[in-house]
Amino acid sequence: TYRALRPNPSKDAPLPEVISVTQPAGTNHLEVKYRITDADSAKVKAGLLAFKDGGNDLSKVIVPQTFIGSVAGKLDENTTTGTIHTVTWDAKADWNVSYGNVELAVVAQDDRELMNFHFLTLPATDSNSTPLKISRSPVDNNDFLNAWYTLLALGDKNIEVKAGFISPKDSNTSAPTGFLPANLNGLVAWFDASDIDANGIPDQISDGDSIGVWSDKAGGDHNATAGGSPTFSSLGLNNRNAVSFDSDDRFSFNEISNIRTVFWVVQRTPSNSFNFVLGHQTASDFHPKENRIWYDSAGPVKGGTTRLNGTLVNGSEESIPTSPFILSMVSTGDAKASKISQDRGYGRYWRGLISEILIFSEVLSQNQVADIEKYLAEKWGCSYSKFPPFANSASTTPSGREYLFNKMNLRQATTAELTRAREAATPGVTNKFTPSFKVGPGERPVKVNEYGFDSDSTSSSHYWVVPKN
């Protein structure tokens, strides 16, 4: 008989318990009573998170930072276990709304890692001269999401969450003081939902009002005339102004040729399978699909760079998120545009919100592109980072996985390492490993699979890890 040995249970985990949450009369404060139980840790790290409407993704997270009174020994790395603690969160200071619902969670961590792994050690073989240490089971996006919650609650100083994205903190995330897109040469059209009539005065428009003309703030002759019924919304990206498009809503303007750089701030509806933001009656449909500018009937020949909240994003049309994003594309040729929301004749209209569009006749430098992205990110409440985002909503990106694994001195297992581990766990098949645990008589067979590797999953969203050294 051969056994797949399982580990003894690990030490007890800290278990937070929220006892009560009350709002003192006449205040915008929340008083939270809680207790953290841990049988083998007298002190743990602790933090607090709030979730708008009880949501369970990063777009719903608020990280409480403003408290009434001291939280020392209550929400820090020296939080006493087995004791009822009370903290008072100044919710208004960290969440500027007039009314809302939140669910609060206390997060605690003892001396264990962000994720709980049990590692197997596979012995060397003739073709593998070193042992292989690999996690018995994989982790997935739910595990990553919980790890992000832990890091946010406990104050990881290297990350920030904004508009549903976790990004590395960048010390240079603001555009130069007084910067405007008009400061740069080559701006030929500028459509801004915060100034529909382009007069520099806040618009007096009611939600749902039709927008007949969207004026060009660049001062040229490209004022856009509506087709269909695009409407005004003050509840666009992060409760800022936007123009809402549905069905065949669109705008037309005098043709702009020789387009070299474009930016737009948009948010599509979940049902929007057509993503043409700018178009032309005969050529040059600008859209995020596969990072391309469609040009003439020959198909996509103009390359571009797609940016999500100022960071690189790749993927198909279906992967374009429904959260706010800033996108910039650079053309290497004579691209044209004369429409907002419509393509060159197929009737594929944008559905969702458009907050701003900038069109330049020059290829901007990397620094100029970065300044505009920072300007747009701050203006529309989006995140900006020169690095790829670590996570979006409930999904963690490859750079995010690497960040989390690095914190635990781990890396993702290679395909070859996974194959070797699966070979050691295939039931009933003699493998290359000499069993270390045998029961007679005769201690037969000589070689057999004995490792309890959880190899059933072949999902591309499941990840095994190995130590980095």
Side-chain angles (χ1 to χ4, degrees), residues 2-8 118-120 136 436-439 449-453:
Y2 291 78
R3 305 282 194 267
L5 298 180
R6 292 280 172 171
N8 293 325
H118 169 229
F119 286 93
L120 297 173
R136 180 190 294 275
S436 59
F437 183 73
K438 310 176 187 179
V439 177
N449 291 308
E450 62 169 337
Y451 295 93
F453 183 74

Side-chain angles (χ1 to χ4, degrees), residues 151-205:
L151 293 178
L152 289 172
L154 301 183
D156 187 318
K157 299 184 183 304
N158 298 312
I159 61 173
E160 61 182 352
V161 59
K162 194 171 186 181
F165 288 83
I166 286 185
S167 300
K169 280 190 177 177
D170 188 341
S171 60
N172 183 23
T173 60
S174 298
T177 301
F179 175 85
L180 290 172
N183 296 350
L184 304 179
N185 293 329
L187 179 64
V188 292
W190 181 2
F191 302 102
D192 182 357
S194 67
D195 190 7
I196 297 291
D197 55 11
N199 66 356
I201 301 172
D203 296 320
Q204 301 296 318
I205 307 174

Side-chain angles (χ1 to χ4, degrees), residues 75-122:
L75 291 176
D76 59 18
E77 60 186 14
N78 292 308
T79 300
T80 304
T81 61
T83 301
I84 295 178
H85 298 291
T86 301
V87 296
T88 302
W89 174 38
D90 186 347
K92 181 69 173 178
D94 297 330
W95 187 30
N96 189 22
V97 296
S98 57
Y99 175 84
N101 296 305
V102 292
E103 182 176 282
L104 295 176
V106 176
V107 177
Q109 183 185 20
D110 56 12
D111 58 358
R112 73 189 63 220
E113 294 287 2
L114 282 171
M115 289 175 265
N116 192 22
F117 291 104
H118 169 229
F119 286 93
L120 297 173
T121 299
L122 308 183

Side-chain angles (χ1 to χ4, degrees), residues 317-370:
E317 178 178 275
E318 289 72 25
S319 71
I320 298 167
T322 56
S323 52
F325 65 93
I326 299 167
L327 186 147
S328 64
M329 299 183 78
V330 179
S331 167
T332 57
D334 183 20
K336 303 177 178 68
S338 60
K339 301 176 184 295
I340 298 175
S341 165
Q342 186 183 359
D343 69 353
R344 61 179 180 272
Y346 299 108
R348 295 179 177 177
Y349 302 91
W350 178 264
R351 292 179 177 86
L353 304 172
I354 297 180
S355 299
E356 191 155 358
I357 298 175
L358 296 164
I359 303 175
F360 287 83
S361 61
E362 295 188 8
V363 176
L364 303 182
S365 69
Q366 288 185 343
N367 288 338
Q368 290 172 326
V369 169

Side-chain angles (χ1 to χ4, degrees), residues 196 205-214 226 228-233 243-244 249 251:
I196 297 291
I205 307 174
S206 299
D207 285 333
D209 283 359
S210 294
I211 304 297
V213 176
W214 196 351
S229 301
T231 58
F232 177 81
S233 174
V243 178
S244 179
D249 297 339
F251 286 92

